[in-house]
Amino acid sequence: MKIKSYILVYVFAGLSIIVSPQSVVNTSHNLSVSGTGSIKANSEQEICIFCHTPHSARPDSPLWNKNDPGTFYNLYSSPTSQSVPDQPTGSSILCLSCHDGTIALGNVLSRISDIDFTGGLTMLPAGHTNLNTDLSDDHPVSFQYSASLAAADGQLLDPAIITPPVTLEAGKLECSSCHDPHNNVFGNFLVLSNQFSELCYKCHDRDYWSSSSHNNSVSGWNGSGTDPWFHSSYPTVAENSCENCHNPHGAEGKENLLNFIQEENNCLVCHNGNVAATDIYSQLTKPYIHNVYGYNLAHSPSEDPLVVSMHVECQDCHNPHAVNSATAAAPLISGALSGTMGINTGGSGVVPAVFEYEVCFRCHAESPGRPGSSTSRAIEQNNTRLEFDSGNPSYHPVTAIGKNNDSPSLIIPYTENSLIYCTDCHSSDGAGSPAGPHGSNWPQILKLRYETADYTVESPEAYALCYSCHSRSSILSDISFGEHWLHIVDQNTPCNACHDPHGISSSQGTFSNNTHLINFDVGIVQSGGAGVIIFVDQGLNSGYCMLRCHGRGHGPGMSY
């Protein structure tokens, strides 16, 4: 077992010498009376004695001057980790003879009694340097870093290409792989600067990372709120890189070494307008949200694409290692959703998702806990994958071009051949709000107002969502349906009373009764006496209903 060292500097009484900046003399590991740190001995002049002795050293260590702590440590564990850490060995157990806080700093083998420290200090005081015996919140050490481990993980470099100053001890990653106790040139006794996560990259090779915004953004913290980089001195997102989210020692979110135990706090500490331009935090204060606050430790990077145990976290829709600013046309995912999991139109998991709707289908298709419809329909459907299926009698064109070849109300640039995103309707409301369904003042996280209550007075505002794609003047001029004015304006019947915005599955609806998104709200529409509530399609701009609404029966040849 080898401990890295640079220039050994000996200090003799009465001699004035120039000390190399790489020397331990200039670091907080100089615990002698000449030390410049806050922890130092009262009178002990020897510098190396706190770790090394030429005589009576522990025979299994490099002239080590302290006893093995003899402690059982609680080790790092994560469901996504392929490594199996052992109880600390090699240089790791040597470091822990001080840094676990169980042995007095002045308790060395070469002295009969303990060396006294200023202020009566004995143990390493509580703080980020005292790791204690719980290593579950620290980067794992003392595991065999092999080619098979790298292959199984898929995002670790093969140990054969790991180059100094990062080294392995007997094939294991130990404290000395990242830290040199004699040299503090890079801070935290790192063997290499971790600006732009240069040290992390010596072992880690994350998918998508090179093009990720978290790797490339030059945004800085404006000084408001919580410091997102409390354990770093670097001023930009790109310079902090991995440490934007991860803390190698003392992580609150232990499983993935996250800075904060609440997963969303690792995102919102920057995405609150204090670092990132997009203020997601404010969107999540609105009445209708994807409630990331309602869950904790429920999401796992290794979970199935289909969300079996219902939860929603930022990471369910966004891959922080892949997210970028690339744009796309519907239905392809944008850079904001790059590298995420999804469920395709056939119901199979896909990694990564290709289309935006695949990300939505994770929770809103076959997931057992999927949310139900806010409207009671003649045909009840809550599986969005089936609602948007291209074999349906009708659907909004999310997964495929729509079935209606004649839709005169569409506003430019929309045509009958257009495709749209789920987020064209479900997104944060308000001018300048960030894209995506984070939070809205309108139910179902709609980006615009869409009234569904009976007897709603028609106005551009009441049906702003519909009128963002469909011309109000065209609709009310009865161009596409001769009774729109009568229903919407005269009778104050909401669009939602007749139209199911997603679509009607072919497994339940028919091409005779459920074209044009017809699926009645049974809270408004009742049976017409024949035990049915249906629309009968008779071709272009022709058909009739069999039902009762607003106290009036509807049927073939019947007036309103």
Side-chain angles (χ1 to χ4, degrees):
M1 198 274 301
K2 178 182 178 182
I3 293 288
K4 300 182 182 73
S5 63
Y6 286 82
I7 302 172
L8 291 178
V9 178
Y10 298 92
V11 179
F12 296 94
L15 293 180
S16 177
I17 62 174
I18 297 176
V19 180
S20 165
Q22 293 182 331
S23 168
V24 71
V25 172
N26 298 306
T27 76
S28 56
H29 279 168
N30 177 4
L31 301 180
S32 75
V33 69
S34 65
T36 58
S38 59
I39 301 174
K40 58 183 179 179
N42 280 323
S43 58
E44 179 61 57
Q45 297 187 34
E46 290 191 41
I47 296 173
C48 302
I49 191 174
F50 297 94
C51 294
H52 304 288
T53 179
H55 303 289
S56 303
R58 281 174 54 192
D60 59 340
S61 304
L63 300 178
W64 200 245
N65 202 18
K66 297 182 78 71
N67 278 313
D68 185 326
T71 304
F72 182 83
Y73 297 92
N74 185 25
L75 303 178
Y76 173 81
S77 177
S78 170
T80 61
S81 177
Q82 304 294 326
S83 65
V84 182
D86 293 325
Q87 287 292 307
T89 58
S91 65
S92 300
I93 195 62
L94 304 186
C95 297
L96 287 167
S97 62
C98 278
H99 285 280
D100 70 0
T102 64
I103 296 179
L105 297 172
N107 185 339
V108 295
L109 298 176
S110 60
R111 290 284 190 270
I112 296 175
S113 58
D114 288 357
I115 300 170
D116 293 329
F117 276 71
T118 58
L121 181 71
T122 54
M123 306 294 187
L124 192 67
H128 69 279
T129 59
N130 185 341
L131 305 183
N132 63 63
T133 60
D134 183 6
L135 304 183
S136 63
D137 57 357
D138 300 289
H139 192 290
V141 293
S142 301
F143 64 86
Q144 203 69 37
Y145 190 150
S146 62
S148 59
L149 170 66
D153 182 274
Q155 298 186 80
L156 289 174
L157 293 175
D158 189 296
I161 61 174
I162 294 177
T163 57
V166 174
T167 58
L168 303 177
E169 294 180 17
K172 288 185 175 183
L173 187 136
E174 302 286 6
C175 293
S176 64
S177 298
C178 296
H179 299 281
D180 182 347
H182 301 114
N183 180 2
N184 199 27
V185 168
F186 300 115
N188 296 321
F189 293 93
L190 295 176
V191 299
L192 183 68
S193 169
N194 207 30
Q195 186 178 25
F196 301 103
S197 289
E198 184 180 359
L199 179 59
C200 301
Y201 297 158
K202 284 289 188 176
C203 295
H204 294 277
D205 184 22
R206 298 294 309 188
D207 293 340
Y208 312 107
W209 185 248
S210 61
S211 60
S212 169
S213 296
H214 292 146
N215 182 44
N216 297 302
S217 172
V218 296
S219 295
W221 178 43
N222 65 9
S224 298
T226 301
D227 181 357
W229 305 313
F230 59 90
H231 53 82
S232 163
S233 61
Y234 301 123
T236 68
V237 173
E239 288 173 283
N240 282 281
S241 199
C242 302
E243 290 189 83
N244 284 300
C245 299
H246 300 286
N247 188 353
H249 291 293
E252 279 189 21
K254 295 181 179 182
E255 282 190 356
N256 297 298
L257 296 181
L258 293 171
N259 287 329
F260 306 105
I261 190 169
Q262 295 284 345
E263 288 116 321
E264 61 273 6
N265 288 347
N266 295 284
C267 306
L268 298 177
V269 71
C270 287
H271 288 276
N272 56 6
N274 292 335
V275 177
T278 51
D279 183 358
I280 304 300
Y281 174 81
S282 293
Q283 301 303 315
L284 294 173
T285 64
K286 294 178 177 179
Y288 303 100
I289 62 174
H290 267 120
N291 187 18
V292 297
Y293 299 113
Y295 307 91
N296 195 47
L297 305 180
H299 172 84
S300 171
S302 61
E303 70 187 20
D304 193 276
L306 179 67
V307 176
V308 178
S309 177
M310 183 53 67
H311 63 271
V312 58
E313 290 289 2
C314 304
Q315 303 96 309
D316 284 302
C317 299
H318 303 287
N319 181 339
H321 299 119
V323 61
N324 60 73
S325 59
T327 58
L332 294 169
I333 62 167
S334 66
L337 303 180
S338 177
T340 52
M341 296 184 284
I343 299 293
N344 65 22
T345 54
S348 298
V350 284
V351 183
V354 177
F355 305 111
E356 183 192 83
Y357 59 77
E358 293 176 335
V359 180
C360 303
F361 288 171
R362 292 196 65 207
C363 293
H364 294 278
E366 275 78 10
S367 178
R370 64 182 179 272
S373 172
S374 60
T375 301
S376 297
R377 297 282 180 190
I379 297 176
E380 282 288 355
Q381 296 182 321
N382 298 314
N383 184 326
T384 55
R385 183 181 69 83
L386 299 180
E387 289 176 312
F388 288 119
D389 190 278
S390 60
N392 291 348
S394 58
Y395 50 88
H396 257 116
V398 169
T399 66
I401 294 170
K403 290 293 178 65
N404 191 348
N405 295 320
D406 182 59
S407 184
S409 67
L410 289 172
I411 298 171
I412 295 173
Y414 296 108
T415 72
E416 289 83 356
N417 293 317
S418 294
L419 290 167
I420 63 173
Y421 285 122
C422 299
T423 52
D424 284 334
C425 294
H426 299 282
S427 191
S428 298
D429 70 311
S433 290
H438 301 108
S440 174
N441 287 299
W442 306 118
Q444 284 73 59
I445 317 182
L446 293 173
K447 72 174 183 179
L448 294 168
R449 185 178 170 189
Y450 175 67
E451 294 294 339
T452 62
D454 201 7
Y455 299 107
T456 294
V457 176
E458 191 280 334
S459 70
E461 295 77 27
Y463 304 121
L465 185 68
C466 302
Y467 293 151
S468 67
C469 296
H470 295 276
S471 165
R472 178 173 179 254
S473 61
S474 174
I475 294 291
L476 299 184
S477 297
D478 296 336
I479 294 173
S480 56
F481 171 53
E483 307 294 344
H484 266 146
W485 174 274
L486 174 66
H487 285 79
I488 302 172
V489 178
D490 187 58
Q491 294 295 314
N492 292 332
T493 306
C495 306
N496 194 65
C498 299
H499 300 291
D500 189 338
H502 289 160
I504 298 88
S505 170
S506 59
S507 65
Q508 295 174 280
T510 71
F511 285 84
S512 298
N513 307 126
N514 301 105
T515 54
H516 310 297
L517 299 175
I518 301 296
N519 187 12
F520 297 105
D521 177 352
V522 295
I524 298 174
V525 178
Q526 297 84 41
S527 168
V532 294
I533 303 174
I534 62 171
F535 162 72
V536 179
D537 192 330
Q538 292 184 309
L540 183 63
N541 298 333
S542 179
Y544 63 91
C545 297
M546 295 180 66
L547 50 83
R548 189 170 185 82
C549 185
H550 289 186
R552 296 185 181 184
H554 295 58
M558 295 182 66
S559 66
Y560 294 96

